[in-house]
Amino acid sequence: MNTTTYGMHLTLRVSNVERPSALNGSREISDLLKTLVHRIDMRILAGPLVGEEEGDADHSGWSGVVILYESHAAIHTYPNRREAFIDIFSCVPFDPMMVNETLSDFFGSFDIMEENLFHRGIHWGADVKKEMRSWVESR
């Protein structure tokens, strides 16, 4: 049976960010998201939307999201902990190494504490129109 995938989903938790100032601020998060999606050949439909989470030192930080023609990209940062969570959900393939290179450009060095890469739609057959029609009819 021929199968194909309909994109990817990458999640990362990074720690020990060398430049925690890159995790701290609306402009910093916006610039990172715009650069990241450009480098992985995606297009912004809306955003970035960035908000600050105020709280105790360990739980304060910034969250940002861009809605892409290809799905979305998001980040949640904890500057005082020098950590971030990154989520890229896409209906097209992209290069995870380019994600890491872009993060290095902004963060300096960092440790990847968690990394998950999922291929979306692997259970579907190669006939995209047939599969989509079936999916729509089942909803």
Side-chain angles (χ1 to χ4, degrees), residues 1 3 5 10 12 35 37-38 50-51 53 55 62 68 71 82 84 89 97 101 105 107 115 118 122-123 128 136 139:
M1 177 175 158
T3 59
T5 63
L10 174 67
L12 294 168
T35 301
V37 299
H38 173 75
V50 178
E53 171 69 29
W62 295 83
L68 305 172
S71 216
R82 298 173 45 218
F89 191 66
M97 290 306 299
E101 288 176 26
D105 289 346
F107 298 164
E115 180 176 22
F118 305 97
I122 59 173
H123 61 283
V128 176
V136 169
R139 292 184 51 93

Side-chain angles (χ1 to χ4, degrees), residues 16 24 32 47 49 54-55 74-75 83 85 107 118:
N16 300 315
N24 198 14
L32 169 62
L49 174 63
E54 296 177 353
I75 186 169
E83 290 190 328
F85 292 84
F107 298 164
F118 305 97

Side-chain angles (χ1 to χ4, degrees), residues 4-123:
T4 187
T5 63
Y6 298 99
M8 301 162 63
H9 189 182
L10 174 67
T11 62
L12 294 168
R13 179 172 70 99
V14 299
S15 238
N16 300 315
V17 171
E18 179 182 11
R19 294 192 295 264
S21 60
L23 303 171
N24 198 14
S26 180
R27 184 174 26 162
E28 289 79 356
I29 300 307
S30 290
D31 289 348
L32 169 62
L33 287 171
K34 289 185 283 190
T35 301
L36 175 63
V37 299
H38 173 75
R39 287 186 182 172
I40 58 174
D41 295 323
M42 296 189 195
R43 302 163 297 146
I44 296 175
L45 178 61
L49 174 63
V50 178
E52 182 179 13
E53 171 69 29
E54 296 177 353
D56 65 78
D58 277 344
H59 298 100
S60 61
W62 295 83
S63 293
V65 64
V66 288
I67 300 170
L68 305 172
Y69 284 91
E70 299 81 9
S71 216
H72 78 262
I75 186 169
H76 306 281
T77 72
Y78 300 91
N80 293 325
R81 296 173 64 169
R82 298 173 45 218
E83 290 190 328
F85 292 84
I86 296 99
D87 179 7
I88 303 169
F89 191 66
S90 172
C91 62
V92 297
F94 59 91
D95 182 1
M97 290 306 299
M98 182 55 68
V99 173
N100 289 346
E101 288 176 26
T102 303
L103 295 177
S104 292
D105 289 346
F106 279 80
F107 298 164
S109 64
F110 58 88
D111 296 322
I112 297 175
M113 305 307 288
E114 296 175 22
E115 180 176 22
N116 297 290
L117 179 63
F118 305 97
H119 294 278
R120 298 173 54 193
I122 59 173
H123 61 283

